[in-house]
Amino acid sequence: MTTTGAQVPRAEGVRGGFQRHLLLIFSMQFVAVVVVCLMGYYNVAPVFAVVLLIVIVSALTWLATERTWRQVSTLARWVGNWKEGQGDLDALQTDRLRRSDEDIATLARGFHNFASRIAGYNERERNFTRDASHELRSPLTVIKMSTDMLSDEAGLSEFGKRSVQRIRRATREMESLVEALLILAREADNGQGEQDFIVNDVLRDELANAREMLHGHPIELRLEEPATFALHGSPRVFAVLCWQLIRHASQYTGQGVVQVTVQPGMVSVSAAAGSDQDASAPGQRGFEYAIAQRISERFGWPLSLHVQGGNRYVAEIRFPKPLPVSA
């Protein structure tokens, strides 16, 4: 990969040559048409021959223009098909670039540098997220083991037991966050063990875990199931996505009911705004929603966030390819 500061060889040719090529082509067409028209005006050639010559001149002009424009079309097609991590950036730095027009070569070099910067930034972000997540797993494991041993300690006071429970819940929340970060850090081959799973079953288990993690908070979780459907994918990724939305809704409302609803091909999470919350912009609050949005984009599950009735937060996840549930 070419680094940002690397010096890219300048293409041979004169800047603005593409414009001059077009100007030359259309100037020659104009002169030819004027000459042919004068031949017809002075009866040097019959009308049929004049029309035929104009058609021939126009066709030659179009062919010359198409040949000149071919480099632009090739570059536009390459840019349109390019995806980060797919496609050879060095294809823009081949010897063919040296023989192209300087304006086109400048566009190619600019896109090459821009794409290289994006690829480098994404790679550094993935590496940092992956390394940080792995480093956090070890202390979390130690904390879990310590709280398990401490909870079995004889003579532990009620205050100590409540403290251990708070540490355990915080550890589980941290584990969920680390797992979400690891999901985002993985490449396209996510290795999440894709399978067919029933959305409703995963949600019931996730809400049971969420109730335990939200224990002590004035939050009531409800699950409504007017529909049932299945998905092909990773049930763990789906569970992490739903937990992030539940947590965001819980922080948004402060206290009250957070409702999860299963509809055909869609899951929604809704909550009423708390007294100290700005109901007009719930999506601007919370790291959890940002993670949920990244996961939804990564796995092609569109996520939308809006406000209903002036004070009700509603997050909706749509699944383009829901599966029916066999009896």
Side-chain angles (χ1 to χ4, degrees), residues 41-120:
Y41 181 78
Y42 290 106
N43 293 324
V44 176
V47 176
F48 174 77
V50 170
V51 174
L52 180 61
L53 288 173
I54 292 177
V55 171
I56 293 175
V57 169
S58 300
L60 292 175
T61 302
W62 182 86
L63 290 175
T65 305
E66 193 274 337
R67 183 178 180 182
T68 303
W69 190 258
R70 192 175 302 163
Q71 295 177 349
V72 178
S73 300
T74 301
L75 178 61
R77 185 167 56 253
W78 198 97
V79 172
N81 295 333
W82 180 81
K83 295 181 180 179
E84 195 273 320
Q86 301 179 8
D88 184 13
L89 287 177
D90 292 335
L92 294 179
Q93 301 297 322
T94 61
D95 291 338
R96 290 178 300 175
L97 193 62
R98 298 175 180 272
R99 298 189 297 268
S100 63
D101 180 80
E102 175 65 12
D103 290 337
I104 300 174
T106 301
L107 287 174
R109 287 196 302 271
F111 180 78
H112 178 274
N113 293 334
F114 176 72
S116 298
R117 292 176 61 186
I118 291 178

Side-chain angles (χ1 to χ4, degrees), residues 107-322:
L107 287 174
R109 287 196 302 271
F111 180 78
H112 178 274
N113 293 334
F114 176 72
S116 298
R117 292 176 61 186
I118 291 178
Y121 170 79
N122 289 339
E123 183 178 1
R124 290 191 297 272
E125 182 186 29
R126 284 192 296 266
N127 291 338
F128 172 79
T129 305
R130 182 179 60 251
D131 296 341
S133 300
H134 280 299
E135 290 297 325
L136 286 172
R137 281 189 162 186
S138 297
L140 285 175
T141 302
V142 173
I143 293 173
K144 285 180 61 179
M145 295 176 61
S146 299
T147 53
D148 290 340
M149 290 187 293
L150 188 59
S151 62
D152 295 334
E153 187 75 21
L156 188 65
S157 66
E158 289 299 322
F159 177 78
K161 291 179 180 179
R162 290 195 299 270
S163 299
V164 168
Q165 291 299 322
R166 286 196 294 269
I167 295 173
R168 184 174 291 170
R169 287 193 295 270
T171 304
R172 293 192 62 180
E173 289 186 16
M174 192 64 184
E175 281 185 320
S176 178
L177 176 60
V178 169
E179 188 171 8
L181 293 176
L182 279 174
I183 289 171
L184 294 176
R186 289 188 176 100
E187 301 295 335
D189 183 14
N190 52 73
Q192 290 292 326
E194 293 188 351
Q195 63 187 59
D196 291 344
F197 65 93
I198 299 176
V199 167
N200 305 59
D201 295 343
V202 176
L203 280 175
R204 293 190 198 102
D205 294 339
E206 189 60 27
L207 259 68
N209 295 330
R211 290 188 181 98
E212 183 178 348
M213 286 189 280
L214 292 173
H215 180 74
H217 297 273
I219 300 293
E220 179 184 356
L221 297 180
R222 294 179 183 174
L223 176 62
E224 292 194 357
E225 306 176 67
T228 302
F229 67 94
L231 290 175
H232 179 78
S234 169
R236 191 57 203 147
V237 171
F238 173 77
V240 170
L241 172 59
C242 293
W243 162 242
Q244 296 301 323
L245 291 178
I246 291 172
R247 189 180 179 194
H248 182 237
S250 301
Q251 293 183 354
Y252 174 69
T253 185
Q255 61 180 2
V257 177
V258 174
Q259 181 171 302
V260 181
T261 306
V262 182
Q263 301 176 14
M266 183 180 72
V267 174
S268 65
V269 179
S270 61
S275 57
D276 60 341
Q277 299 289 340
D278 180 10
S280 62
Q284 297 178 5
R285 301 175 181 271
F287 180 61
E288 299 79 12
Y289 181 76
I291 294 179
Q293 194 170 35
R294 293 282 299 275
I295 294 176
S296 70
E297 292 172 355
R298 172 73 178 275
F299 292 90
W301 298 335
L303 172 63
S304 62
L305 182 66
H306 56 276
V307 176
Q308 289 182 349
N311 70 333
R312 189 162 187 81
Y313 157 107
V314 180
E316 295 178 344
I317 320 168
R318 299 185 182 275
F319 303 94
K321 298 179 180 179

